[in-house]
Amino acid sequence: MSAPQLVVQQPIASQGMIVNPKNSLNKPDINGEGREWSYDLLDCNNGGTFCKAWWLPCIVYGSNTGRLSYLERNSSPDPDHGGVCSCNCCLYNCCGAVFQITNRAHIRDRYGIKGDFCTDCLASCFCTPCALTQEEAEIDLEEKALIRQQVELSQKA
């Protein structure tokens, strides 16, 4: 008698499957503590965002908070992509680390990502461009998943 096969990875969504927009890569929950980030902290997969976050972190922070706020209010992507400069951008210039840590925790909570205040603080204070890029990627994945769902629904209609 053979031992049962242990499944260690969630299946990847195929066309026609409904994907959770807040976890469009289907990252598994780890022992009820939450899932991993969709991209590693040092996986600066978006060179444009990383460069902008390196030189003008206030702009990326403002865009991320604007897009996140719009998603929460409307359940759809922000057509202005967070705007260019907002009051969030100006606030970031006053005491960015505090706002960055708070926003990172909010993003973790929204997307069910494991972590705590300490990891948010370390990433936000010592790896700001990478943290902002990682946060932007989570928001971007949700927006893309919502757009795909809207397109699929309109094609079925």
Side-chain angles (χ1 to χ4, degrees), residues 84-114:
V84 176
C85 193
S86 64
C87 66
N88 289 321
C89 179
C90 295
L91 288 173
Y92 186 88
N93 286 323
C94 295
C95 44
V98 173
F99 290 111
Q100 174 63 23
I101 293 165
T102 304
N103 195 53
R104 187 168 178 82
H106 181 71
I107 289 171
R108 268 193 318 94
D109 289 344
R110 177 174 176 81
Y111 297 109
I113 298 169
K114 71 177 188 169

PDB file of all heavy atoms in Angstrom, residues 84-114:
ATOM      1  N   VAL A  84      -0.041  61.866  -9.598  1.00  0.00           N
ATOM      2  CA  VAL A  84       1.395  62.177  -9.618  1.00  0.00           C
ATOM      3  C   VAL A  84       1.863  62.674  -8.258  1.00  0.00           C
ATOM      4  O   VAL A  84       2.820  62.199  -7.692  1.00  0.00           O
ATOM      5  CB  VAL A  84       1.709  63.222 -10.712  1.00  0.00           C
ATOM      6  CG1 VAL A  84       3.160  63.620 -10.662  1.00  0.00           C
ATOM      7  CG2 VAL A  84       1.348  62.677 -12.072  1.00  0.00           C
ATOM      8  N   CYS A  85       1.182  63.639  -7.737  1.00  0.00           N
ATOM      9  CA  CYS A  85       1.576  64.205  -6.451  1.00  0.00           C
ATOM     10  C   CYS A  85       0.307  64.480  -5.655  1.00  0.00           C
ATOM     11  O   CYS A  85      -0.645  65.053  -6.174  1.00  0.00           O
ATOM     12  CB  CYS A  85       2.380  65.482  -6.654  1.00  0.00           C
ATOM     13  SG  CYS A  85       3.190  66.026  -5.151  1.00  0.00           S
ATOM     14  N   SER A  86       0.300  64.033  -4.415  1.00  0.00           N
ATOM     15  CA  SER A  86      -0.898  64.184  -3.586  1.00  0.00           C
ATOM     16  C   SER A  86      -0.481  64.611  -2.191  1.00  0.00           C
ATOM     17  O   SER A  86       0.704  64.745  -1.890  1.00  0.00           O
ATOM     18  CB  SER A  86      -1.644  62.857  -3.528  1.00  0.00           C
ATOM     19  OG  SER A  86      -0.837  61.882  -2.893  1.00  0.00           O
ATOM     20  N   CYS A  87      -1.468  64.784  -1.329  1.00  0.00           N
ATOM     21  CA  CYS A  87      -1.143  65.143   0.052  1.00  0.00           C
ATOM     22  C   CYS A  87      -0.368  64.004   0.721  1.00  0.00           C
ATOM     23  O   CYS A  87       0.461  64.239   1.580  1.00  0.00           O
ATOM     24  CB  CYS A  87      -2.393  65.523   0.830  1.00  0.00           C
ATOM     25  SG  CYS A  87      -3.546  64.181   1.084  1.00  0.00           S
ATOM     26  N   ASN A  88      -0.620  62.742   0.291  1.00  0.00           N
ATOM     27  CA  ASN A  88       0.156  61.615   0.828  1.00  0.00           C
ATOM     28  C   ASN A  88       1.629  61.769   0.498  1.00  0.00           C
ATOM     29  O   ASN A  88       2.494  61.446   1.302  1.00  0.00           O
ATOM     30  CB  ASN A  88      -0.361  60.290   0.278  1.00  0.00           C
ATOM     31  CG  ASN A  88      -1.701  59.915   0.835  1.00  0.00           C
ATOM     32  OD1 ASN A  88      -1.964  60.130   2.005  1.00  0.00           O
ATOM     33  ND2 ASN A  88      -2.565  59.377  -0.002  1.00  0.00           N
ATOM     34  N   CYS A  89       1.896  62.270  -0.688  1.00  0.00           N
ATOM     35  CA  CYS A  89       3.278  62.517  -1.109  1.00  0.00           C
ATOM     36  C   CYS A  89       3.910  63.564  -0.201  1.00  0.00           C
ATOM     37  O   CYS A  89       5.040  63.414   0.254  1.00  0.00           O
ATOM     38  CB  CYS A  89       3.287  62.969  -2.567  1.00  0.00           C
ATOM     39  SG  CYS A  89       4.919  63.338  -3.214  1.00  0.00           S
ATOM     40  N   CYS A  90       3.176  64.625   0.076  1.00  0.00           N
ATOM     41  CA  CYS A  90       3.697  65.694   0.936  1.00  0.00           C
ATOM     42  C   CYS A  90       3.893  65.197   2.367  1.00  0.00           C
ATOM     43  O   CYS A  90       4.896  65.522   3.002  1.00  0.00           O
ATOM     44  CB  CYS A  90       2.751  66.891   0.915  1.00  0.00           C
ATOM     45  SG  CYS A  90       2.653  67.651  -0.710  1.00  0.00           S
ATOM     46  N   LEU A  91       2.953  64.409   2.885  1.00  0.00           N
ATOM     47  CA  LEU A  91       3.083  63.860   4.230  1.00  0.00           C
ATOM     48  C   LEU A  91       4.316  62.980   4.354  1.00  0.00           C
ATOM     49  O   LEU A  91       4.998  62.989   5.378  1.00  0.00           O
ATOM     50  CB  LEU A  91       1.838  63.056   4.608  1.00  0.00           C
ATOM     51  CG  LEU A  91       0.566  63.840   4.879  1.00  0.00           C
ATOM     52  CD1 LEU A  91      -0.607  62.887   5.062  1.00  0.00           C
ATOM     53  CD2 LEU A  91       0.727  64.730   6.099  1.00  0.00           C
ATOM     54  N   TYR A  92       4.607  62.224   3.307  1.00  0.00           N
ATOM     55  CA  TYR A  92       5.756  61.335   3.316  1.00  0.00           C
ATOM     56  C   TYR A  92       7.040  62.124   3.531  1.00  0.00           C
ATOM     57  O   TYR A  92       7.961  61.664   4.199  1.00  0.00           O
ATOM     58  CB  TYR A  92       5.823  60.544   2.009  1.00  0.00           C
ATOM     59  CG  TYR A  92       6.905  59.496   2.003  1.00  0.00           C
ATOM     60  CD1 TYR A  92       6.640  58.224   2.490  1.00  0.00           C
ATOM     61  CD2 TYR A  92       8.177  59.770   1.523  1.00  0.00           C
ATOM     62  CE1 TYR A  92       7.614  57.251   2.497  1.00  0.00           C
ATOM     63  CE2 TYR A  92       9.164  58.804   1.534  1.00  0.00           C
ATOM     64  CZ  TYR A  92       8.876  57.543   2.021  1.00  0.00           C
ATOM     65  OH  TYR A  92       9.851  56.584   2.037  1.00  0.00           O
ATOM     66  N   ASN A  93       7.103  63.332   2.981  1.00  0.00           N
ATOM     67  CA  ASN A  93       8.306  64.148   3.135  1.00  0.00           C
ATOM     68  C   ASN A  93       8.518  64.605   4.567  1.00  0.00           C
ATOM     69  O   ASN A  93       9.641  64.898   4.964  1.00  0.00           O
ATOM     70  CB  ASN A  93       8.262  65.356   2.197  1.00  0.00           C
ATOM     71  CG  ASN A  93       8.506  64.949   0.768  1.00  0.00           C
ATOM     72  OD1 ASN A  93       9.303  64.064   0.493  1.00  0.00           O
ATOM     73  ND2 ASN A  93       7.800  65.565  -0.155  1.00  0.00           N
ATOM     74  N   CYS A  94       7.448  64.677   5.356  1.00  0.00           N
ATOM     75  CA  CYS A  94       7.573  65.106   6.754  1.00  0.00           C
ATOM     76  C   CYS A  94       8.175  64.003   7.618  1.00  0.00           C
ATOM     77  O   CYS A  94       9.149  64.230   8.316  1.00  0.00           O
ATOM     78  CB  CYS A  94       6.214  65.504   7.313  1.00  0.00           C
ATOM     79  SG  CYS A  94       5.517  66.938   6.507  1.00  0.00           S
ATOM     80  N   CYS A  95       7.575  62.853   7.601  1.00  0.00           N
ATOM     81  CA  CYS A  95       8.067  61.729   8.418  1.00  0.00           C
ATOM     82  C   CYS A  95       7.722  60.433   7.702  1.00  0.00           C
ATOM     83  O   CYS A  95       6.841  59.680   8.137  1.00  0.00           O
ATOM     84  CB  CYS A  95       7.524  61.776   9.831  1.00  0.00           C
ATOM     85  SG  CYS A  95       5.781  62.159   9.975  1.00  0.00           S
ATOM     86  N   GLY A  96       8.409  60.211   6.602  1.00  0.00           N
ATOM     87  CA  GLY A  96       8.110  59.097   5.709  1.00  0.00           C
ATOM     88  C   GLY A  96       8.146  57.725   6.334  1.00  0.00           C
ATOM     89  O   GLY A  96       7.298  56.890   6.044  1.00  0.00           O
ATOM     90  N   ALA A  97       9.118  57.468   7.210  1.00  0.00           N
ATOM     91  CA  ALA A  97       9.250  56.120   7.769  1.00  0.00           C
ATOM     92  C   ALA A  97       7.995  55.709   8.533  1.00  0.00           C
ATOM     93  O   ALA A  97       7.527  54.579   8.403  1.00  0.00           O
ATOM     94  CB  ALA A  97      10.474  56.046   8.668  1.00  0.00           C
ATOM     95  N   VAL A  98       7.434  56.620   9.298  1.00  0.00           N
ATOM     96  CA  VAL A  98       6.233  56.302  10.076  1.00  0.00           C
ATOM     97  C   VAL A  98       5.076  55.955   9.149  1.00  0.00           C
ATOM     98  O   VAL A  98       4.386  54.947   9.336  1.00  0.00           O
ATOM     99  CB  VAL A  98       5.846  57.486  11.003  1.00  0.00           C
ATOM    100  CG1 VAL A  98       4.510  57.224  11.684  1.00  0.00           C
ATOM    101  CG2 VAL A  98       6.940  57.744  12.013  1.00  0.00           C
ATOM    102  N   PHE A  99       4.883  56.781   8.120  1.00  0.00           N
ATOM    103  CA  PHE A  99       3.797  56.520   7.173  1.00  0.00           C
ATOM    104  C   PHE A  99       4.061  55.253   6.365  1.00  0.00           C
ATOM    105  O   PHE A  99       3.143  54.487   6.083  1.00  0.00           O
ATOM    106  CB  PHE A  99       3.595  57.715   6.237  1.00  0.00           C
ATOM    107  CG  PHE A  99       3.006  58.905   6.930  1.00  0.00           C
ATOM    108  CD1 PHE A  99       3.764  60.038   7.135  1.00  0.00           C
ATOM    109  CD2 PHE A  99       1.704  58.890   7.394  1.00  0.00           C
ATOM    110  CE1 PHE A  99       3.233  61.141   7.780  1.00  0.00           C
ATOM    111  CE2 PHE A  99       1.157  59.983   8.042  1.00  0.00           C
ATOM    112  CZ  PHE A  99       1.925  61.115   8.243  1.00  0.00           C
ATOM    113  N   GLN A 100       5.306  55.031   6.001  1.00  0.00           N
ATOM    114  CA  GLN A 100       5.676  53.851   5.221  1.00  0.00           C
ATOM    115  C   GLN A 100       5.408  52.576   6.012  1.00  0.00           C
ATOM    116  O   GLN A 100       4.846  51.620   5.491  1.00  0.00           O
ATOM    117  CB  GLN A 100       7.145  53.950   4.810  1.00  0.00           C
ATOM    118  CG  GLN A 100       7.695  52.726   4.122  1.00  0.00           C
ATOM    119  CD  GLN A 100       7.032  52.422   2.806  1.00  0.00           C
ATOM    120  OE1 GLN A 100       6.458  53.296   2.178  1.00  0.00           O
ATOM    121  NE2 GLN A 100       7.099  51.183   2.393  1.00  0.00           N
ATOM    122  N   ILE A 101       5.786  52.554   7.276  1.00  0.00           N
ATOM    123  CA  ILE A 101       5.567  51.374   8.118  1.00  0.00           C
ATOM    124  C   ILE A 101       4.071  51.094   8.245  1.00  0.00           C
ATOM    125  O   ILE A 101       3.620  49.950   8.115  1.00  0.00           O
ATOM    126  CB  ILE A 101       6.210  51.572   9.510  1.00  0.00           C
ATOM    127  CG1 ILE A 101       7.737  51.622   9.372  1.00  0.00           C
ATOM    128  CG2 ILE A 101       5.793  50.462  10.466  1.00  0.00           C
ATOM    129  CD1 ILE A 101       8.442  52.167  10.601  1.00  0.00           C
ATOM    130  N   THR A 102       3.303  52.145   8.489  1.00  0.00           N
ATOM    131  CA  THR A 102       1.851  52.002   8.646  1.00  0.00           C
ATOM    132  C   THR A 102       1.206  51.498   7.362  1.00  0.00           C
ATOM    133  O   THR A 102       0.355  50.604   7.383  1.00  0.00           O
ATOM    134  CB  THR A 102       1.233  53.355   9.051  1.00  0.00           C
ATOM    135  OG1 THR A 102       1.881  53.809  10.235  1.00  0.00           O
ATOM    136  CG2 THR A 102      -0.248  53.242   9.293  1.00  0.00           C
ATOM    137  N   ASN A 103       1.613  52.054   6.228  1.00  0.00           N
ATOM    138  CA  ASN A 103       1.039  51.642   4.949  1.00  0.00           C
ATOM    139  C   ASN A 103       1.423  50.203   4.608  1.00  0.00           C
ATOM    140  O   ASN A 103       0.607  49.443   4.084  1.00  0.00           O
ATOM    141  CB  ASN A 103       1.470  52.593   3.832  1.00  0.00           C
ATOM    142  CG  ASN A 103       0.626  52.431   2.601  1.00  0.00           C
ATOM    143  OD1 ASN A 103      -0.592  52.497   2.664  1.00  0.00           O
ATOM    144  ND2 ASN A 103       1.268  52.214   1.464  1.00  0.00           N
ATOM    145  N   ARG A 104       2.656  49.821   4.919  1.00  0.00           N
ATOM    146  CA  ARG A 104       3.099  48.455   4.649  1.00  0.00           C
ATOM    147  C   ARG A 104       2.263  47.461   5.467  1.00  0.00           C
ATOM    148  O   ARG A 104       1.847  46.423   4.954  1.00  0.00           O
ATOM    149  CB  ARG A 104       4.588  48.303   4.951  1.00  0.00           C
ATOM    150  CG  ARG A 104       5.164  46.971   4.532  1.00  0.00           C
ATOM    151  CD  ARG A 104       6.682  46.990   4.596  1.00  0.00           C
ATOM    152  NE  ARG A 104       7.243  45.709   4.234  1.00  0.00           N
ATOM    153  CZ  ARG A 104       7.449  45.288   2.997  1.00  0.00           C
ATOM    154  NH1 ARG A 104       7.147  46.069   1.993  1.00  0.00           N
ATOM    155  NH2 ARG A 104       7.966  44.109   2.753  1.00  0.00           N
ATOM    156  N   ALA A 105       2.009  47.791   6.732  1.00  0.00           N
ATOM    157  CA  ALA A 105       1.175  46.927   7.573  1.00  0.00           C
ATOM    158  C   ALA A 105      -0.240  46.826   7.002  1.00  0.00           C
ATOM    159  O   ALA A 105      -0.847  45.748   6.996  1.00  0.00           O
ATOM    160  CB  ALA A 105       1.141  47.460   8.999  1.00  0.00           C
ATOM    161  N   HIS A 106      -0.755  47.944   6.517  1.00  0.00           N
ATOM    162  CA  HIS A 106      -2.095  47.966   5.920  1.00  0.00           C
ATOM    163  C   HIS A 106      -2.139  47.064   4.671  1.00  0.00           C
ATOM    164  O   HIS A 106      -3.091  46.304   4.471  1.00  0.00           O
ATOM    165  CB  HIS A 106      -2.476  49.400   5.564  1.00  0.00           C
ATOM    166  CG  HIS A 106      -3.832  49.531   4.978  1.00  0.00           C
ATOM    167  ND1 HIS A 106      -4.990  49.350   5.717  1.00  0.00           N
ATOM    168  CD2 HIS A 106      -4.236  49.814   3.712  1.00  0.00           C
ATOM    169  CE1 HIS A 106      -6.030  49.507   4.931  1.00  0.00           C
ATOM    170  NE2 HIS A 106      -5.601  49.794   3.711  1.00  0.00           N
ATOM    171  N   ILE A 107      -1.113  47.133   3.849  1.00  0.00           N
ATOM    172  CA  ILE A 107      -1.041  46.299   2.643  1.00  0.00           C
ATOM    173  C   ILE A 107      -0.949  44.823   3.036  1.00  0.00           C
ATOM    174  O   ILE A 107      -1.637  43.974   2.461  1.00  0.00           O
ATOM    175  CB  ILE A 107       0.139  46.734   1.747  1.00  0.00           C
ATOM    176  CG1 ILE A 107      -0.187  48.086   1.102  1.00  0.00           C
ATOM    177  CG2 ILE A 107       0.462  45.683   0.693  1.00  0.00           C
ATOM    178  CD1 ILE A 107       0.960  48.739   0.366  1.00  0.00           C
ATOM    179  N   ARG A 108      -0.118  44.510   4.026  1.00  0.00           N
ATOM    180  CA  ARG A 108      -0.029  43.123   4.495  1.00  0.00           C
ATOM    181  C   ARG A 108      -1.385  42.605   4.962  1.00  0.00           C
ATOM    182  O   ARG A 108      -1.781  41.493   4.627  1.00  0.00           O
ATOM    183  CB  ARG A 108       0.968  43.005   5.655  1.00  0.00           C
ATOM    184  CG  ARG A 108       2.361  42.678   5.283  1.00  0.00           C
ATOM    185  CD  ARG A 108       3.246  42.273   6.454  1.00  0.00           C
ATOM    186  NE  ARG A 108       3.093  43.074   7.656  1.00  0.00           N
ATOM    187  CZ  ARG A 108       2.284  42.781   8.674  1.00  0.00           C
ATOM    188  NH1 ARG A 108       1.544  41.697   8.649  1.00  0.00           N
ATOM    189  NH2 ARG A 108       2.218  43.571   9.727  1.00  0.00           N
ATOM    190  N   ASP A 109      -2.094  43.423   5.731  1.00  0.00           N
ATOM    191  CA  ASP A 109      -3.417  43.016   6.219  1.00  0.00           C
ATOM    192  C   ASP A 109      -4.399  42.808   5.071  1.00  0.00           C
ATOM    193  O   ASP A 109      -5.137  41.829   5.040  1.00  0.00           O
ATOM    194  CB  ASP A 109      -3.986  44.058   7.188  1.00  0.00           C
ATOM    195  CG  ASP A 109      -3.262  44.075   8.524  1.00  0.00           C
ATOM    196  OD1 ASP A 109      -2.541  43.102   8.833  1.00  0.00           O
ATOM    197  OD2 ASP A 109      -3.410  45.074   9.253  1.00  0.00           O
ATOM    198  N   ARG A 110      -4.400  43.724   4.120  1.00  0.00           N
ATOM    199  CA  ARG A 110      -5.338  43.638   2.989  1.00  0.00           C
ATOM    200  C   ARG A 110      -5.128  42.360   2.176  1.00  0.00           C
ATOM    201  O   ARG A 110      -6.075  41.713   1.747  1.00  0.00           O
ATOM    202  CB  ARG A 110      -5.192  44.853   2.080  1.00  0.00           C
ATOM    203  CG  ARG A 110      -6.081  44.792   0.843  1.00  0.00           C
ATOM    204  CD  ARG A 110      -6.031  46.069   0.041  1.00  0.00           C
ATOM    205  NE  ARG A 110      -6.799  45.983  -1.163  1.00  0.00           N
ATOM    206  CZ  ARG A 110      -8.124  46.131  -1.251  1.00  0.00           C
ATOM    207  NH1 ARG A 110      -8.821  46.382  -0.171  1.00  0.00           N
ATOM    208  NH2 ARG A 110      -8.744  46.021  -2.408  1.00  0.00           N
ATOM    209  N   TYR A 111      -3.860  42.011   1.959  1.00  0.00           N
ATOM    210  CA  TYR A 111      -3.548  40.870   1.096  1.00  0.00           C
ATOM    211  C   TYR A 111      -3.269  39.577   1.863  1.00  0.00           C
ATOM    212  O   TYR A 111      -2.905  38.575   1.264  1.00  0.00           O
ATOM    213  CB  TYR A 111      -2.380  41.226   0.171  1.00  0.00           C
ATOM    214  CG  TYR A 111      -2.738  42.357  -0.768  1.00  0.00           C
ATOM    215  CD1 TYR A 111      -2.181  43.623  -0.619  1.00  0.00           C
ATOM    216  CD2 TYR A 111      -3.667  42.170  -1.774  1.00  0.00           C
ATOM    217  CE1 TYR A 111      -2.533  44.665  -1.458  1.00  0.00           C
ATOM    218  CE2 TYR A 111      -4.035  43.202  -2.611  1.00  0.00           C
ATOM    219  CZ  TYR A 111      -3.462  44.446  -2.453  1.00  0.00           C
ATOM    220  OH  TYR A 111      -3.823  45.474  -3.288  1.00  0.00           O
ATOM    221  N   GLY A 112      -3.435  39.596   3.186  1.00  0.00           N
ATOM    222  CA  GLY A 112      -3.237  38.383   3.984  1.00  0.00           C
ATOM    223  C   GLY A 112      -1.811  37.884   3.969  1.00  0.00           C
ATOM    224  O   GLY A 112      -1.558  36.679   3.922  1.00  0.00           O
ATOM    225  N   ILE A 113      -0.864  38.816   4.017  1.00  0.00           N
ATOM    226  CA  ILE A 113       0.554  38.472   3.959  1.00  0.00           C
ATOM    227  C   ILE A 113       1.105  38.374   5.373  1.00  0.00           C
ATOM    228  O   ILE A 113       0.831  39.226   6.219  1.00  0.00           O
ATOM    229  CB  ILE A 113       1.323  39.544   3.154  1.00  0.00           C
ATOM    230  CG1 ILE A 113       0.801  39.575   1.710  1.00  0.00           C
ATOM    231  CG2 ILE A 113       2.821  39.286   3.194  1.00  0.00           C
ATOM    232  CD1 ILE A 113       1.290  40.740   0.893  1.00  0.00           C
ATOM    233  N   LYS A 114       1.890  37.319   5.620  1.00  0.00           N
ATOM    234  CA  LYS A 114       2.439  37.157   6.958  1.00  0.00           C
ATOM    235  C   LYS A 114       3.522  38.213   7.215  1.00  0.00           C
ATOM    236  O   LYS A 114       4.149  38.720   6.290  1.00  0.00           O
ATOM    237  CB  LYS A 114       2.979  35.748   7.177  1.00  0.00           C
ATOM    238  CG  LYS A 114       4.241  35.415   6.430  1.00  0.00           C
ATOM    239  CD  LYS A 114       4.711  34.024   6.774  1.00  0.00           C
ATOM    240  CE  LYS A 114       6.086  33.795   6.173  1.00  0.00           C
ATOM    241  NZ  LYS A 114       6.705  32.588   6.659  1.00  0.00           N
TER     242      LYS A 114
END
